[in-house]
Amino acid sequence: MSLSPVSLAASLVTMQGAATGQALATAMVKQQADAEASVVGLVEQALEATKGAARPPPGQGTLIDVSV
């Protein structure tokens, strides 16, 4: 059984298209992972910023008068 040049060329073009699609999908997954890592970095920065925030003076906000 021999392959005709046309079917061989069609197979090669199909394989090249599949490889290109796979490369694009890989790039998109990497880009999404980078974006998620950036979000994690922003959340970590926000947490660090709140650790150093001004705290109320001692005694303020510790007891709540619910008798009113």
Side-chain angles (χ1 to χ4, degrees):
M1 178 177 154
S2 66
L3 292 173
S4 70
V6 173
S7 65
L8 182 60
S11 294
L12 290 175
V13 168
T14 302
M15 289 171 53
Q16 183 64 35
T20 301
Q22 190 173 20
L24 287 172
T26 303
M28 290 172 60
V29 167
K30 184 183 180 318
Q31 186 177 13
Q32 179 152 0
D34 291 344
E36 289 173 0
S38 295
V39 170
V40 169
L42 289 173
V43 170
E44 287 176 342
Q45 286 178 355
L47 286 173
E48 289 298 321
T50 58
K51 286 182 181 178
R55 292 192 165 82
Q60 182 178 354
T62 57
L63 298 174
I64 300 173
D65 184 9
V66 292
S67 64
V68 178

